[in-house]
Amino acid sequence: MQTRKKYIFLTFLASWLLLFFFGGDQLRRFAFFSGRKAEARRNWPRWTDQLLLKTFADPEELQGDGDPSLPSPRERRVARLSVYKNSRCRMETCFDFSRCEKHGFKVFTYPRERDQPLSESYSKILTSIERSRYYTPRPEEACLFILSIDTLDRDHLSAQYVHNVDEKIRSFPLWNGGRNHLIFNLYSGTWPNYTEDLGFDIGQAILAKASFYTESFRPGFDISIPLFSKDHPQRGGERGWLYQDSVPPKKKYLLVFKGKRYLTGIGSGTRNALHHIHNGKDIISLTTCKHGKDWEKHKDTRCDKDNVDYEKFDYQELLHNSTFCIVPRGRRLGSFRFLEALQAACIPVLLSDGWELPFSEAIDWGKAAVVGNERLLLQIPSAVRCIHPERVLAFQQQTQFLWDAYFSSVDKIVHTTLEIIKDRLLPHRSRSRFLWNTLPGGLLALPDFSTHLRDFPFYYLQQGKTLPCPAEHGKLSACHSTYPSTPLFSGSSPSEKFTAFIRAVSPGGSPSQPILRLIQAVSASQYCAQILVLWSCETPPPPSGKWPQTTVPLTIIQGTGKLSDRFFPYTAIQTDAVLSLDEHTSLSTSEVDFAFVVWRSFPERIVGFPARSHFWDAEQRRWGYTSKWTNEISIVLTAAAFYHRYYHSLFTEYLPAGLRELVDGLAACEDILMNVLVAAVTKLPPIKVTQRKQHKEAVPQQVGCKDGDAGIPPAGERSPSPQHSPPAKVKGTVGATSSRHFSQRQDCLNQVADWFGYMPLVSSQLRLDPVLFKDQVSVLRKKYPRLEKP
């Protein structure tokens, strides 16, 4: 045993001696291997090592950035800190919430100075605020303040640059270091660095800025807005190019870009490289050097050929016929091309590293845009080619929704900015990200009404649907053949009962016979939950003993005498469905039941009986209104119509006070405004259902309700003019009243369309009848046989 141990020991010792004599050098190198490897990682590549880079580039060239005009990261950081001295501002630290407690969210704009010129774009912004429902002319009521000094263009080489802004704002007694102020800006910095220098200290003000760098953006405080031109419409705006019911065919081009390239300076790197992906077939990437005063001094060998190719294609034609549009950065991060691509349903492919996308706090851009990397330009073509056609269509549809909901006008851009700030004040009552990114959008989903999807009329029929889950934030990723599906919608069916809401203008101390018959017919409906009577007279309503006995609760509400009262969000309305009725409406129980069943299938629309239509009068160059029977309808009168109670809140809280005053002033306008509002929200027409008798349109009464002046409709009311022609004069008292009534309604229609900036009404040729309606079959086989009786 001891001999065996001796041999083992000698063998081990001999092995170490052999290793020491023959491999000692290798051991010494191994001892320092890890240290040298780490050092190599830290020091390689050695850009001044000519042995490494001799065949690739001149070391002197590699010492610099290639363009001395580009700011270094340190210079950018210093410039940023000079602008954002309160870089740690948050709503909790730099905003006075107490100013918003008493009067709510009100916005005050500083009085405009006569000697201070305003750009066209800033004038539109101030006008949008003053037209909003949040505007107040009294600063003591204001929660948020807007300067009257034009701060949009802070390029000191611009003719619209305003000097001495610091001195001016510090002289304002309301400035308070910028607290509770909102500053708008589109252009910052100047040649050659284009830093974010605004030329004045914003203090603790919220900055709504275009081309926002993510590193400068203060999350939850600042707001990134899109860059828009001075020609951007004040309100309304053009619709998107992808129509709602059209499935776009495969377009001619996959990916396009046409624009100027910068030969030197910031932003030149990306645009100078765009020619590498041009193939002249399905990828068109065109640039021109022709811009600026001295472009010929800096022209390179490609300029002449690029300029010739540039003129061969029309920019609008490329937008119309391409699936994806490259949106590279310019001198600044944002560009007009972004909104142009959204409107054209050309999916934006963003090449602007570090850009905080517009309204990113609310909008999920991963559903509408592809976010690329400037350094990975050559991967863009292969990445967009492998996006599934279904996902491409979803992207295109989302671009149209976002364009129409938030970007098509200055009004929408400004109102979106204000609504985001308002949501921050009460986070527990703010809109969810789902509401912001789903039809009809955050501006039309009021959190003051509810924050639950089931309370709105837009999501009932969408529960249980699934859509493909896109890549995170729309960033370029590998091709996927399938996508995980997740439920995007939740909700419930609309309530199975309705509230009848009757506007009464009966003279004397007792209800009229028409309203008594109407109450009896409506209360007999199996779907009726309650009846509310809006008493719109100055005289007190009749005592309860003079009202009929019904099987459902009957409540009398004393109105103020205004026509807009009928669309006030009364807390007494407990059901989703509201049946709006006028006192002289004549309906049977079967008509009410059938109309309600139809409404439950279309809870976001107005469903009713008396229909009207609008038309464009080319001679008068204005909109016309007619009750002439035609093949199209666009208005269902609220004298007998179902709709969702949410529209009461929209009518009262979303529309500005000026429109409601218009309704009360014209005395024949409230139902037109309600139809226009619902059409603007849903982009859909109302639905007409079967009616036994033709409705006779009453002239609304506001106050008084004297005998002989109870809103009795003119006999045989018809449109005094055929469609597409101006109204003709009618002789006699009844004809004069009818003509004046139609004239008021046409005035109302045109004024409402002017406020919206376009005509929201949508025409339809649809009328819904019960199954077997008017068919020559047994009455026993029909569910609503009474509808056919005269």
Side-chain angles (χ1 to χ4, degrees):
M1 185 68 181
Q2 292 181 352
T3 304
R4 183 179 179 182
K5 291 182 179 178
K6 183 185 298 183
Y7 282 120
I8 293 174
F9 176 77
L10 290 174
T11 302
F12 182 79
L13 180 61
S15 299
W16 270 104
L17 290 174
L18 290 173
L19 183 64
F20 180 79
F21 284 106
F22 296 101
D25 184 64
Q26 286 80 359
L27 286 175
R28 286 190 297 272
R29 291 183 182 182
F30 179 78
F32 298 96
F33 176 76
S34 59
R36 290 189 174 185
K37 185 176 181 181
E39 182 180 356
R41 279 201 304 265
R42 288 192 299 269
N43 297 336
W44 192 91
R46 298 180 181 178
W47 301 113
T48 58
D49 191 345
Q50 297 193 18
L51 294 177
L52 288 176
L53 300 173
K54 183 176 181 179
T55 59
F56 298 99
D58 185 355
E60 295 181 359
E61 178 184 346
L62 296 172
Q63 292 292 338
D65 293 328
D67 190 343
S69 65
L70 296 178
S72 66
R74 181 177 182 180
E75 291 172 340
R76 288 177 55 188
R77 183 168 61 253
V78 171
R80 185 176 70 252
L81 293 177
S82 67
V83 178
Y84 304 98
K85 296 180 180 179
N86 294 281
S87 58
R88 296 187 178 183
C89 264
R90 297 295 182 268
M91 294 294 290
E92 296 80 7
T93 58
C94 296
F95 195 89
D96 185 3
F97 287 82
S98 63
R99 293 196 64 98
C100 312
E101 293 176 354
K102 184 176 182 181
H103 300 284
F105 186 69
K106 294 294 182 181
V107 183
F108 173 78
T109 59
Y110 281 66
R112 305 186 190 185
E113 301 178 6
R114 295 182 179 180
D115 59 341
Q116 182 64 58
L118 294 179
S119 64
E120 185 176 351
S121 296
Y122 200 65
S123 295
K124 290 179 179 179
I125 289 176
L126 295 180
T127 301
S128 297
I129 295 172
E130 292 165 359
R131 292 177 70 249
S132 75
R133 65 184 185 278
Y134 297 127
Y135 174 71
T136 177
R138 293 180 286 275
E140 62 273 10
E141 297 180 358
C143 168
L144 190 67
F145 299 87
I146 312 294
L147 296 175
S148 61
I149 300 175
D150 190 344
T151 57
L152 290 186
D153 194 343
R154 300 307 298 161
D155 184 343
H156 65 77
L157 298 179
S158 172
Q160 296 178 342
Y161 181 82
V162 179
H163 297 272
N164 303 322
V165 173
D166 255 329
E167 298 178 5
K168 294 178 180 179
I169 60 178
R170 288 174 184 172
S171 64
F172 296 150
L174 298 173
W175 175 243
N176 192 25
R179 208 171 182 86
N180 289 57
H181 280 68
L182 174 63
I183 294 175
F184 288 91
N185 175 255
L186 295 181
Y187 308 98
S188 62
T190 188
W191 171 267
N193 295 335
Y194 292 96
T195 62
E196 295 189 87
D197 184 15
L198 299 182
F200 67 97
D201 182 10
I202 64 173
Q204 297 180 349
I206 299 172
L207 185 58
K209 184 180 182 302
S211 304
F212 230 134
Y213 276 93
T214 302
E215 60 186 10
S216 303
F217 183 77
R218 296 170 290 183
F221 192 72
D222 291 329
I223 297 177
S224 178
I225 63 174
L227 183 66
F228 59 90
S229 69
K230 65 178 182 180
D231 298 324
H232 206 57
Q234 173 75 65
R235 52 187 179 272
E238 297 181 4
R239 62 176 299 177
W241 295 358
L242 181 67
Y243 290 92
Q244 181 176 4
D245 298 325
S246 64
V247 177
K250 185 176 180 180
K251 296 188 177 183
K252 182 177 180 180
Y253 304 112
L254 173 70
L255 183 67
V256 300
F257 172 79
K258 183 181 180 182
K260 58 188 179 182
R261 69 179 174 97
Y262 308 116
L263 299 173
T264 60
I266 190 169
S268 61
T270 301
R271 297 205 175 200
N272 276 332
L274 287 174
H275 72 281
H276 289 294
I277 64 174
H278 174 79
N279 63 14
K281 298 177 181 178
D282 63 341
I283 298 180
I284 305 298
S285 181
L286 306 171
T287 58
T288 180
C289 305
K290 290 183 178 180
H291 63 89
K293 298 179 181 179
D294 55 350
W295 69 271
E296 292 185 348
K297 296 179 181 179
H298 303 282
K299 63 182 296 187
D300 54 23
T301 56
R302 282 188 12 240
C303 278
D304 292 335
K305 184 180 182 301
D306 287 352
N307 293 340
V308 173
D309 294 340
Y310 185 85
E311 301 299 332
K312 294 180 180 179
F313 292 85
D314 179 72
Y315 179 64
Q316 295 297 322
E317 189 264 342
L318 290 176
L319 282 180
H320 274 281
N321 293 282
S322 181
T323 304
F324 295 90
C325 286
I326 299 178
V327 183
R329 64 161 300 157
R331 294 300 191 189
R332 300 173 180 88
L333 294 179
S335 69
F336 299 140
R337 193 178 310 273
F338 181 66
L339 292 187
E340 293 168 353
L342 281 183
Q343 182 184 8
C346 189
I347 303 170
V349 179
L350 306 177
L351 296 176
S352 186
D353 296 352
W355 183 20
E356 184 72 21
L357 296 181
F359 304 134
S360 56
E361 182 175 340
I363 295 177
D364 183 2
W365 285 108
K367 297 180 179 179
V370 177
V371 181
N373 190 305
E374 294 182 52
R375 294 171 296 178
L376 302 177
L377 172 64
L378 298 182
Q379 297 183 12
I380 297 293
S382 59
V384 298
R385 286 187 193 280
C386 68
I387 299 180
H388 196 275
E390 292 183 1
R391 190 178 172 195
V392 169
L393 179 58
F395 268 71
Q396 290 173 326
Q397 291 172 335
Q398 192 70 2
T399 62
Q400 300 303 274
F401 159 65
L402 294 177
W403 164 258
D404 180 73
Y406 307 117
F407 300 109
S408 61
S409 67
V410 177
D411 273 5
K412 292 178 181 177
I413 294 173
V414 172
H415 293 168
T416 302
T417 303
L418 296 181
E419 293 293 345
I420 290 176
I421 297 175
K422 182 175 181 290
D423 274 0
R424 296 171 180 172
L425 302 181
L426 297 171
H428 62 285
R429 295 181 62 183
S430 62
R431 301 165 180 83
S432 66
R433 200 168 176 86
F434 175 87
L435 293 178
W436 280 107
N437 293 277
T438 308
L439 284 168
L443 296 184
L444 296 168
L446 303 181
D448 292 337
F449 174 77
S450 178
T451 56
H452 300 289
L453 298 182
R454 64 177 178 269
D455 294 330
F456 294 92
F458 316 115
Y459 314 111
Y460 290 128
L461 304 181
Q462 298 176 345
Q463 58 178 341
K465 288 187 180 179
T466 59
L467 287 177
C469 181
E472 183 180 3
H473 302 302
K475 293 183 178 179
L476 297 179
S477 58
C479 293
H480 297 279
S481 58
T482 59
Y483 304 98
S485 296
T486 54
L488 295 181
F489 303 103
S490 62
S492 59
S493 299
S495 59
E496 299 180 356
K497 298 287 185 178
F498 68 84
T499 297
F501 194 82
I502 306 174
R503 181 175 183 270
V505 288
S506 298
S510 61
S512 65
Q513 287 301 315
I515 195 173
L516 295 178
R517 290 193 296 268
L518 184 61
I519 291 175
Q520 293 291 352
V522 172
S523 63
S525 171
Q526 59 180 317
Y527 305 112
C528 183
Q530 60 178 342
I531 298 176
L532 303 179
V533 178
L534 177 63
W535 189 257
S536 298
C537 300
E538 291 180 344
T539 58
S544 58
K546 292 191 176 183
W547 294 96
Q549 297 294 322
T550 60
T551 57
V552 296
L554 176 65
T555 305
I556 312 299
I557 300 176
Q558 180 66 57
T560 61
K562 297 180 179 179
L563 287 176
S564 57
D565 284 351
R566 76 180 308 164
F567 298 129
F568 186 81
Y570 297 99
T571 56
I573 301 176
Q574 298 296 320
T575 60
D576 293 331
V578 177
L579 173 57
S580 176
L581 298 166
D582 277 351
E583 177 179 357
H584 296 278
T585 300
S586 177
L587 291 177
S588 67
T589 304
S590 296
E591 289 174 305
V592 172
D593 287 348
F594 174 67
F596 179 67
V597 170
V598 172
W599 177 84
R600 294 197 76 230
S601 297
F602 305 94
E604 76 280 13
R605 304 204 211 181
I606 297 178
V607 177
F609 300 93
R612 301 291 183 263
S613 61
H614 75 290
F615 62 92
W616 177 253
D617 190 335
E619 294 182 2
Q620 300 280 339
R621 298 197 59 79
R622 65 198 305 262
W623 293 103
Y625 168 91
T626 180
S627 64
K628 181 178 177 64
W629 283 27
T630 64
N631 291 330
E632 292 188 346
I633 67 163
S634 56
I635 297 172
V636 167
L637 302 183
T638 54
F642 282 97
Y643 53 80
H644 199 280
R645 67 188 178 102
Y646 174 62
Y647 293 124
H648 279 223
S649 294
L650 270 184
F651 188 94
T652 303
E653 299 173 14
Y654 172 75
L655 297 176
L659 276 183
R660 296 195 300 274
E661 293 172 0
L662 171 67
V663 166
D664 297 328
L666 289 180
C669 191
E670 81 283 2
D671 49 357
I672 290 179
L673 181 55
M674 176 58 83
N675 273 267
V676 170
L677 174 62
V678 175
V681 173
T682 63
K683 310 297 187 294
L684 296 171
I687 295 178
K688 176 176 171 54
V689 293
T690 302
Q691 186 179 19
R692 291 184 306 161
K693 298 180 180 180
Q694 180 188 356
H695 174 77
K696 296 179 179 179
E697 194 170 331
V699 178
Q701 301 295 318
Q702 287 181 275
V703 294
C705 303
K706 300 177 182 178
D707 292 339
D709 187 41
I712 300 175
E717 181 258 60
R718 286 282 192 173
S719 171
S721 61
Q723 193 171 3
H724 305 294
S725 62
K729 296 182 179 179
V730 182
K731 296 181 180 181
T733 305
V734 175
T737 303
S738 176
S739 179
R740 183 171 61 254
H741 177 64
F742 269 89
S743 177
Q744 288 181 337
R745 295 182 78 79
Q746 287 184 349
D747 290 342
C748 166
L749 186 63
N750 282 276
Q751 292 187 51
V752 169
D754 179 70
W755 186 88
F756 278 88
Y758 71 108
M759 173 51 74
L761 291 177
V762 181
S763 296
S764 170
Q765 297 180 350
L766 175 68
R767 189 188 79 180
L768 297 183
D769 298 338
V771 177
L772 303 179
F773 180 69
K774 295 292 186 180
D775 285 358
Q776 299 298 323
V777 297
S778 172
V779 174
L780 298 177
R781 298 177 61 185
K782 300 184 178 183
K783 188 174 182 180
Y784 303 98
R786 295 181 179 273
L787 286 179
E788 302 180 28
K789 295 183 179 181

